Amino acid sequence: MATLIQVRDLLALQGRLEASRMSELLATPRPMIDAMLARLEAMGRVKRVTEDLSGCLSGSCKRCPEGNACQKTFWTLQ
């Protein structure tokens, strides 16, 4: 199981990561990573970054049946 410090250190080393990738690298279940990221965000240590919509292939993400599924959310240090 990873700790808050390990999550923070991983972000410091990698720059930005998706929660799923952090889960893989730290061998920690995704719900635990999500909870730790929420705690670190509340503490003002990390921030959530969403990829802009310019990467959408169809250009119509707002009307897409998948909703915002094509948007990726990354985490980075604040």
Side-chain angles (χ1 to χ4, degrees):
M1 244 356 141
T3 64
L4 289 174
I5 293 171
Q6 288 173 313
V7 171
R8 187 206 59 205
D9 289 348
L10 183 62
L11 284 173
L13 290 171
Q14 298 292 325
R16 74 177 197 171
L17 285 171
E18 290 182 86
S20 58
R21 184 68 179 140
M22 283 185 251
S23 175
E24 292 170 13
L25 292 171
L26 295 172
T28 302
R30 174 67 189 269
M32 178 68 92
I33 294 291
D34 290 338
M36 286 191 269
L37 288 169
R39 181 68 184 140
L40 287 167
E41 185 177 35
M43 294 168 62
R45 302 286 186 221
V46 299
K47 66 180 176 179
R48 187 184 318 235
V49 178
T50 304
E51 210 173 55
D52 66 0
L53 296 176
S54 62
C56 180
L57 296 177
S58 67
S60 59
C61 284
K62 292 182 181 176
R63 295 183 307 271
C64 179
E66 297 294 321
N68 292 330
C70 59
Q71 284 185 325
K72 291 187 177 183
T73 301
F74 295 95
W75 293 87
T76 186
L77 294 180
Q78 236 177 347

Coordinates of all heavy atoms in Angstrom, one line a residue:
M1 N 0.8 -1.2 0.0 CA 0.0 0.0 0.0 C 0.9 1.2 0.0 O 1.9 1.3 0.7 CB -0.8 0.0 1.3 CG -2.3 -0.1 1.3 SD -3.2 -0.1 -0.2 CE -4.4 -1.3 0.4
A2 N 0.5 2.2 -0.8 CA 1.2 3.4 -0.9 C 0.8 4.4 0.2 O -0.3 4.3 0.8 CB 1.0 4.1 -2.3
T3 N 1.6 5.4 0.4 CA 1.3 6.5 1.4 C 1.1 7.8 0.6 O 1.4 7.9 -0.5 CB 2.4 6.6 2.4 OG1 3.6 7.1 1.7 CG2 2.7 5.3 3.1
L4 N 0.6 8.8 1.3 CA 0.4 10.1 0.7 C 1.8 10.7 0.2 O 1.9 11.3 -0.8 CB -0.2 11.1 1.7 CG -1.6 10.9 2.1 CD1 -2.0 11.8 3.2 CD2 -2.5 11.1 0.9
I5 N 2.8 10.4 1.0 CA 4.2 10.9 0.6 C 4.6 10.2 -0.7 O 5.2 10.8 -1.5 CB 5.1 10.7 1.8 CG1 4.8 11.6 2.9 CG2 6.6 10.9 1.3 CD1 5.5 11.3 4.2
Q6 N 4.4 8.9 -0.8 CA 4.8 8.2 -2.0 C 4.0 8.7 -3.2 O 4.6 8.9 -4.3 CB 4.5 6.7 -1.9 CG 5.5 6.1 -0.9 CD 5.2 4.6 -0.6 OE1 4.0 4.3 -0.4 NE2 6.2 3.8 -0.7
V7 N 2.8 9.0 -3.1 CA 2.0 9.6 -4.2 C 2.6 11.0 -4.6 O 2.8 11.3 -5.7 CB 0.5 9.7 -3.8 CG1 -0.3 10.5 -4.9 CG2 -0.1 8.3 -3.6
R8 N 2.8 11.8 -3.6 CA 3.4 13.1 -3.8 C 4.8 13.0 -4.5 O 5.1 13.7 -5.5 CB 3.5 13.9 -2.5 CG 4.0 15.4 -2.8 CD 4.7 15.9 -1.6 NE 5.9 15.2 -1.3 CZ 6.4 15.1 -0.1 NH1 5.9 15.8 0.9 NH2 7.5 14.4 0.1
D9 N 5.6 12.1 -4.0 CA 6.9 11.9 -4.6 C 6.9 11.4 -6.0 O 7.7 11.8 -6.9 CB 7.8 10.9 -3.7 CG 8.2 11.5 -2.4 OD1 8.0 12.7 -2.2 OD2 8.6 10.7 -1.5
L10 N 5.9 10.5 -6.3 CA 5.8 10.0 -7.7 C 5.4 11.2 -8.6 O 5.9 11.3 -9.7 CB 4.7 8.9 -7.7 CG 4.4 8.3 -9.0 CD1 5.7 7.6 -9.5 CD2 3.3 7.3 -8.9
L11 N 4.5 12.0 -8.2 CA 4.2 13.2 -9.0 C 5.3 14.1 -9.2 O 5.5 14.7 -10.2 CB 3.0 13.9 -8.4 CG 1.6 13.3 -8.6 CD1 0.5 14.0 -7.8 CD2 1.3 13.2 -10.0
A12 N 6.2 14.3 -8.1 CA 7.3 15.1 -8.2 C 8.3 14.6 -9.3 O 8.9 15.3 -10.0 CB 8.0 15.2 -6.9
L13 N 8.4 13.3 -9.3 CA 9.4 12.6 -10.3 C 8.8 12.6 -11.7 O 9.6 12.8 -12.7 CB 9.7 11.2 -9.8 CG 10.5 11.0 -8.6 CD1 10.6 9.6 -8.2 CD2 11.9 11.6 -8.9
Q14 N 7.5 12.4 -11.8 CA 6.9 12.2 -13.2 C 6.4 13.5 -13.8 O 6.1 13.6 -15.0 CB 5.8 11.1 -13.1 CG 6.3 9.8 -12.7 CD 7.2 9.1 -13.7 OE1 7.0 9.3 -14.9 NE2 8.2 8.4 -13.3
G15 N 6.1 14.5 -13.0 CA 5.5 15.7 -13.5 C 4.0 15.7 -13.4 O 3.4 16.4 -12.7
R16 N 3.4 14.8 -14.2 CA 1.9 14.7 -14.2 C 1.6 13.3 -14.6 O 2.3 12.6 -15.4 CB 1.2 15.7 -15.1 CG 1.4 15.4 -16.6 CD 0.6 16.4 -17.4 NE 0.4 15.8 -18.7 CZ -0.4 16.3 -19.7 NH1 -1.0 17.4 -19.4 NH2 -0.5 15.7 -20.8
L17 N 0.6 12.7 -13.9 CA 0.1 11.4 -14.2 C -1.4 11.2 -14.0 O -2.0 12.0 -13.3 CB 0.8 10.4 -13.1 CG 2.2 10.1 -13.3 CD1 2.7 9.3 -12.1 CD2 2.4 9.2 -14.5
E18 N -1.9 10.2 -14.7 CA -3.3 9.9 -14.5 C -3.4 9.0 -13.2 O -2.4 8.3 -12.9 CB -3.9 9.1 -15.7 CG -4.0 9.9 -16.9 CD -4.6 9.1 -18.0 OE1 -5.9 9.0 -18.1 OE2 -3.9 8.6 -18.8
A19 N -4.5 9.0 -12.6 CA -4.7 8.2 -11.3 C -4.5 6.7 -11.6 O -4.0 6.0 -10.8 CB -6.1 8.5 -10.7
S20 N -5.0 6.3 -12.8 CA -4.9 4.9 -13.1 C -3.4 4.5 -13.2 O -3.0 3.4 -12.8 CB -5.6 4.5 -14.4 OG -5.1 5.3 -15.5
R21 N -2.6 5.3 -13.8 CA -1.1 5.0 -13.9 C -0.5 5.0 -12.6 O 0.4 4.2 -12.3 CB -0.5 6.0 -14.9 CG 0.9 5.8 -15.1 CD 1.1 4.5 -16.0 NE 2.6 4.3 -16.2 CZ 3.2 3.2 -16.1 NH1 2.5 2.1 -15.9 NH2 4.5 3.1 -16.3
M22 N -0.9 5.9 -11.7 CA -0.3 5.9 -10.3 C -0.7 4.7 -9.6 O 0.2 4.1 -8.9 CB -0.9 7.1 -9.5 CG -0.2 8.4 -9.9 SD -0.9 9.7 -8.8 CE -1.9 10.6 -9.9
S23 N -1.9 4.2 -9.8 CA -2.3 3.0 -9.2 C -1.4 1.8 -9.7 O -1.0 1.0 -8.8 CB -3.8 2.7 -9.6 OG -4.2 1.5 -9.1
E24 N -1.1 1.7 -10.9 CA -0.3 0.7 -11.5 C 1.2 0.8 -10.9 O 1.7 -0.2 -10.5 CB -0.2 0.8 -13.0 CG -1.5 0.4 -13.7 CD -1.4 0.8 -15.2 OE1 -0.3 1.0 -15.7 OE2 -2.5 0.8 -15.8
L25 N 1.7 2.0 -10.9 CA 3.1 2.2 -10.5 C 3.3 1.9 -9.0 O 4.3 1.4 -8.6 CB 3.6 3.6 -10.8 CG 3.7 3.9 -12.3 CD1 4.0 5.4 -12.6 CD2 4.9 3.0 -12.9
L26 N 2.3 2.2 -8.2 CA 2.4 2.1 -6.8 C 1.8 0.8 -6.3 O 1.8 0.5 -5.1 CB 1.8 3.3 -6.1 CG 2.5 4.6 -6.3 CD1 1.6 5.8 -5.7 CD2 3.9 4.6 -5.7
A27 N 1.2 0.0 -7.2 CA 0.6 -1.3 -6.8 C -0.4 -1.1 -5.7 O -0.4 -1.7 -4.7 CB 1.6 -2.3 -6.4
T28 N -1.3 -0.1 -5.9 CA -2.3 0.3 -4.9 C -3.6 0.4 -5.6 O -3.7 0.9 -6.8 CB -1.9 1.7 -4.3 OG1 -0.6 1.6 -3.7 CG2 -2.9 2.1 -3.3
P29 N -4.7 -0.1 -5.0 CA -6.0 -0.1 -5.7 C -6.4 1.4 -6.1 O -6.1 2.3 -5.4 CB -7.0 -0.6 -4.6 CG -6.1 -1.4 -3.7 CD -4.8 -0.7 -3.7
R30 N -7.1 1.5 -7.2 CA -7.5 2.8 -7.7 C -8.3 3.6 -6.7 O -8.1 4.8 -6.6 CB -8.2 2.6 -9.0 CG -8.9 3.8 -9.7 CD -7.8 4.8 -10.1 NE -8.4 6.1 -10.5 CZ -8.8 6.4 -11.7 NH1 -8.6 5.5 -12.7 NH2 -9.3 7.5 -12.0
P31 N -9.3 3.0 -6.0 CA -10.1 3.8 -5.1 C -9.2 4.4 -4.0 O -9.5 5.5 -3.5 CB -11.1 2.8 -4.5 CG -11.2 1.7 -5.5 CD -9.9 1.6 -6.2
M32 N -8.2 3.7 -3.6 CA -7.3 4.2 -2.6 C -6.5 5.4 -3.1 O -6.3 6.4 -2.4 CB -6.3 3.1 -2.1 CG -5.3 3.6 -1.1 SD -6.1 4.1 0.5 CE -6.0 2.5 1.3
I33 N -6.0 5.3 -4.4 CA -5.3 6.4 -5.0 C -6.2 7.6 -5.1 O -5.9 8.7 -4.9 CB -4.8 6.0 -6.4 CG1 -3.7 4.9 -6.2 CG2 -4.3 7.2 -7.2 CD1 -2.4 5.4 -5.6
D34 N -7.5 7.4 -5.5 CA -8.5 8.5 -5.7 C -8.7 9.2 -4.3 O -8.7 10.4 -4.3 CB -9.8 8.0 -6.2 CG -9.7 7.5 -7.7 OD1 -8.8 8.0 -8.4 OD2 -10.6 6.7 -8.1
A35 N -8.8 8.4 -3.3 CA -9.0 9.0 -1.9 C -7.7 9.8 -1.5 O -7.8 10.9 -0.9 CB -9.2 7.9 -0.9
M36 N -6.5 9.3 -1.8 CA -5.3 10.0 -1.4 C -5.2 11.3 -2.2 O -4.8 12.3 -1.7 CB -4.1 9.1 -1.6 CG -4.0 8.0 -0.5 SD -2.4 7.2 -0.5 CE -2.8 5.8 -1.6
L37 N -5.5 11.2 -3.5 CA -5.5 12.4 -4.4 C -6.4 13.5 -3.9 O -6.1 14.7 -3.9 CB -5.7 12.1 -5.8 CG -4.6 11.3 -6.5 CD1 -5.0 10.8 -7.9 CD2 -3.3 12.2 -6.6
A38 N -7.6 13.0 -3.5 CA -8.6 14.0 -2.9 C -8.1 14.6 -1.7 O -8.3 15.8 -1.5 CB -9.9 13.3 -2.7
R39 N -7.5 13.9 -0.8 CA -6.9 14.4 0.4 C -5.8 15.4 0.1 O -5.7 16.5 0.7 CB -6.4 13.3 1.3 CG -5.8 13.7 2.6 CD -6.9 14.3 3.5 NE -6.3 14.8 4.7 CZ -6.7 16.0 5.2 NH1 -7.7 16.7 4.8 NH2 -6.1 16.4 6.3
L40 N -4.9 15.0 -0.8 CA -3.8 15.9 -1.2 C -4.3 17.2 -1.8 O -3.7 18.3 -1.6 CB -2.8 15.2 -2.1 CG -1.9 14.1 -1.4 CD1 -1.2 13.3 -2.5 CD2 -0.9 14.8 -0.5
E41 N -5.4 17.1 -2.6 CA -6.0 18.2 -3.2 C -6.6 19.2 -2.2 O -6.4 20.4 -2.2 CB -7.0 17.8 -4.2 CG -7.6 18.9 -5.0 CD -8.6 18.4 -6.1 OE1 -9.4 17.5 -5.8 OE2 -8.7 19.0 -7.1
A42 N -7.2 18.6 -1.2 CA -7.8 19.4 -0.1 C -6.7 20.1 0.7 O -6.9 21.2 1.2 CB -8.6 18.5 0.8
M43 N -5.6 19.5 0.8 CA -4.4 20.0 1.5 C -3.7 21.1 0.7 O -2.8 21.8 1.2 CB -3.4 18.9 1.9 CG -4.0 18.0 2.9 SD -3.0 16.5 3.1 CE -1.4 17.2 3.7
G44 N -4.1 21.2 -0.6 CA -3.4 22.2 -1.5 C -2.1 21.7 -2.0 O -1.3 22.5 -2.5
R45 N -1.8 20.4 -2.0 CA -0.5 19.9 -2.5 C -0.5 19.5 -4.0 O 0.5 19.5 -4.6 CB -0.1 18.7 -1.7 CG 0.0 18.9 -0.2 CD 1.2 19.7 0.1 NE 1.4 19.9 1.5 CZ 1.8 21.0 2.1 NH1 2.0 22.0 1.4 NH2 1.9 21.0 3.4
V46 N -1.7 19.0 -4.5 CA -1.8 18.6 -5.9 C -3.0 19.3 -6.5 O -3.8 19.8 -5.8 CB -1.9 17.1 -6.0 CG1 -0.8 16.3 -5.4 CG2 -3.2 16.6 -5.4
K47 N -3.0 19.3 -7.8 CA -4.1 19.9 -8.5 C -4.5 19.0 -9.7 O -3.6 18.3 -10.3 CB -3.9 21.3 -9.0 CG -2.8 21.5 -10.0 CD -2.7 22.9 -10.4 CE -1.5 23.1 -11.4 NZ -1.3 24.5 -11.8
R48 N -5.7 19.0 -10.0 CA -6.3 18.3 -11.1 C -6.2 19.1 -12.4 O -6.5 20.3 -12.4 CB -7.7 18.0 -10.8 CG -8.5 17.1 -11.7 CD -9.9 17.0 -11.3 NE -10.1 16.9 -9.9 CZ -10.8 15.9 -9.2 NH1 -11.3 15.0 -9.9 NH2 -10.9 15.9 -7.9
V49 N -5.7 18.5 -13.5 CA -5.6 19.1 -14.8 C -6.3 18.3 -15.8 O -6.0 17.1 -15.9 CB -4.1 19.3 -15.2 CG1 -3.9 19.9 -16.5 CG2 -3.3 20.0 -14.1
T50 N -7.2 19.0 -16.5 CA -8.0 18.3 -17.6 C -7.4 18.7 -18.9 O -7.2 19.9 -19.2 CB -9.5 18.6 -17.5 OG1 -9.9 18.3 -16.1 CG2 -10.3 17.8 -18.4
E51 N -7.2 17.7 -19.8 CA -6.7 18.0 -21.1 C -7.7 18.8 -21.9 O -8.9 18.5 -21.8 CB -6.4 16.6 -21.8 CG -5.4 16.6 -22.8 CD -5.1 15.2 -23.3 OE1 -6.0 14.6 -23.8 OE2 -3.9 14.8 -23.2
D52 N -7.3 19.7 -22.6 CA -8.3 20.6 -23.4 C -8.9 19.8 -24.5 O -8.5 18.7 -24.9 CB -7.6 21.8 -23.9 CG -6.6 21.6 -25.0 OD1 -6.3 20.4 -25.3 OD2 -6.0 22.5 -25.5
L53 N -10.0 20.3 -25.0 CA -10.8 19.6 -26.0 C -10.3 19.6 -27.4 O -10.8 19.0 -28.3 CB -12.3 20.1 -26.0 CG -13.0 19.9 -24.7 CD1 -14.4 20.5 -24.8 CD2 -13.2 18.4 -24.4
S54 N -9.2 20.4 -27.6 CA -8.6 20.5 -28.9 C -8.1 19.1 -29.4 O -7.8 19.0 -30.6 CB -7.5 21.5 -28.9 OG -6.5 21.2 -28.1
G55 N -7.9 18.2 -28.5 CA -7.4 16.9 -28.9 C -8.5 15.9 -29.4 O -8.2 14.8 -29.8
C56 N -9.7 16.4 -29.3 CA -10.9 15.6 -29.8 C -10.8 15.4 -31.3 O -10.7 16.3 -32.0 CB -12.2 16.2 -29.3 SG -13.6 15.3 -29.8
L57 N -10.9 14.1 -31.7 CA -10.9 13.8 -33.1 C -12.1 14.3 -33.9 O -12.0 14.8 -35.0 CB -10.7 12.3 -33.3 CG -9.4 11.7 -32.8 CD1 -9.4 10.2 -33.0 CD2 -8.2 12.4 -33.4
S58 N -13.3 14.3 -33.3 CA -14.5 14.7 -34.0 C -14.7 16.2 -33.8 O -15.5 16.8 -34.6 CB -15.7 13.9 -33.5 OG -16.0 14.2 -32.2
G59 N -14.2 16.8 -32.8 CA -14.4 18.2 -32.5 C -15.8 18.5 -31.9 O -16.2 19.6 -31.8
S60 N -16.5 17.5 -31.5 CA -17.8 17.7 -31.0 C -18.0 16.9 -29.6 O -19.0 16.2 -29.4 CB -18.9 17.2 -32.0 OG -18.7 15.8 -32.3
C61 N -17.0 17.0 -28.8 CA -17.1 16.3 -27.5 C -18.3 16.7 -26.6 O -18.8 15.9 -25.9 CB -15.8 16.6 -26.7 SG -14.4 15.7 -27.3
K62 N -18.8 17.9 -26.8 CA -19.9 18.3 -26.0 C -21.2 17.6 -26.4 O -22.1 17.4 -25.6 CB -20.1 19.8 -26.0 CG -19.0 20.5 -25.3 CD -19.1 22.0 -25.3 CE -17.9 22.6 -24.6 NZ -17.9 24.0 -24.6
R63 N -21.3 17.2 -27.7 CA -22.4 16.5 -28.2 C -22.2 15.0 -28.3 O -23.1 14.3 -28.7 CB -22.8 17.1 -29.5 CG -23.3 18.5 -29.4 CD -23.8 19.0 -30.8 NE -22.8 18.8 -31.8 CZ -21.9 19.7 -32.2 NH1 -21.7 20.8 -31.5 NH2 -21.0 19.4 -33.2
C64 N -21.0 14.6 -27.9 CA -20.6 13.2 -28.0 C -21.5 12.3 -27.1 O -21.7 12.6 -26.0 CB -19.1 13.0 -27.7 SG -18.5 11.3 -27.8
P65 N -21.9 11.1 -27.6 CA -22.7 10.2 -26.7 C -21.9 9.7 -25.5 O -22.4 9.3 -24.5 CB -23.1 9.1 -27.6 CG -22.3 9.2 -28.8 CD -21.8 10.6 -28.9
E66 N -20.6 9.8 -25.6 CA -19.7 9.3 -24.5 C -19.5 10.4 -23.5 O -18.9 10.2 -22.5 CB -18.3 8.9 -25.1 CG -18.3 7.7 -26.0 CD -18.8 6.5 -25.3 OE1 -18.3 6.3 -24.1 OE2 -19.5 5.7 -25.9
G67 N -20.1 11.6 -23.7 CA -19.9 12.7 -22.8 C -18.5 13.2 -22.8 O -18.0 13.5 -23.9
N68 N -17.9 13.3 -21.7 CA -16.5 13.8 -21.6 C -15.5 12.6 -21.4 O -14.5 12.8 -20.8 CB -16.4 14.7 -20.4 CG -17.1 16.0 -20.7 OD1 -17.2 16.4 -21.8 ND2 -17.6 16.7 -19.6
A69 N -15.9 11.4 -21.8 CA -15.1 10.2 -21.7 C -13.7 10.4 -22.4 O -12.8 9.7 -22.0 CB -15.8 9.0 -22.2
C70 N -13.7 11.2 -23.4 CA -12.4 11.3 -24.1 C -11.4 12.3 -23.5 O -10.3 12.4 -23.8 CB -12.6 11.7 -25.6 SG -13.5 13.3 -25.8
Q71 N -11.9 13.0 -22.5 CA -11.1 14.0 -21.8 C -10.3 13.2 -20.7 O -10.8 12.4 -20.0 CB -11.9 15.0 -21.0 CG -12.4 16.1 -21.9 CD -13.1 17.2 -21.1 OE1 -13.7 16.9 -20.1 NE2 -13.0 18.4 -21.6
K72 N -9.0 13.5 -20.7 CA -8.1 12.8 -19.7 C -7.9 13.8 -18.5 O -7.7 14.9 -18.7 CB -6.8 12.4 -20.3 CG -7.0 11.3 -21.3 CD -5.6 10.8 -21.8 CE -5.8 9.6 -22.7 NZ -4.6 9.1 -23.1
T73 N -7.9 13.2 -17.3 CA -7.6 14.0 -16.1 C -6.3 13.6 -15.6 O -6.0 12.4 -15.3 CB -8.7 13.8 -15.1 OG1 -10.0 14.2 -15.6 CG2 -8.4 14.6 -13.8
F74 N -5.4 14.5 -15.5 CA -4.1 14.3 -14.9 C -3.9 15.0 -13.6 O -4.7 15.9 -13.2 CB -3.0 14.9 -15.9 CG -2.9 14.2 -17.2 CD1 -3.6 14.7 -18.3 CD2 -2.2 13.1 -17.4 CE1 -3.6 14.1 -19.5 CE2 -2.2 12.4 -18.6 CZ -2.9 12.9 -19.7
W75 N -3.0 14.6 -12.8 CA -2.7 15.2 -11.5 C -1.2 15.7 -11.5 O -0.3 15.1 -12.1 CB -2.8 14.2 -10.4 CG -4.3 13.8 -10.2 CD1 -4.9 12.8 -10.9 CD2 -5.2 14.4 -9.4 NE1 -6.2 12.7 -10.5 CE2 -6.4 13.7 -9.5 CE3 -5.1 15.4 -8.5 CZ2 -7.6 14.1 -8.8 CZ3 -6.3 15.8 -7.8 CH2 -7.5 15.1 -7.9
T76 N -1.0 16.8 -10.9 CA 0.3 17.4 -10.9 C 0.5 18.1 -9.5 O -0.5 18.4 -8.8 CB 0.5 18.4 -12.0 OG1 1.9 18.9 -12.0 CG2 -0.4 19.6 -12.0
L77 N 1.7 18.4 -9.1 CA 2.0 19.1 -7.9 C 1.6 20.6 -8.1 O 1.7 21.1 -9.2 CB 3.4 19.1 -7.5 CG 3.9 17.7 -7.1 CD1 5.4 17.8 -6.7 CD2 3.1 17.1 -5.9
Q78 N 1.1 21.2 -7.0 CA 0.8 22.6 -7.1 C 1.9 23.5 -6.8 O 2.8 23.2 -6.2 CB -0.3 22.9 -6.1 CG -1.5 23.5 -6.8 CD -2.6 23.8 -5.9 OE1 -2.7 23.4 -4.7 NE2 -3.6 24.5 -6.4

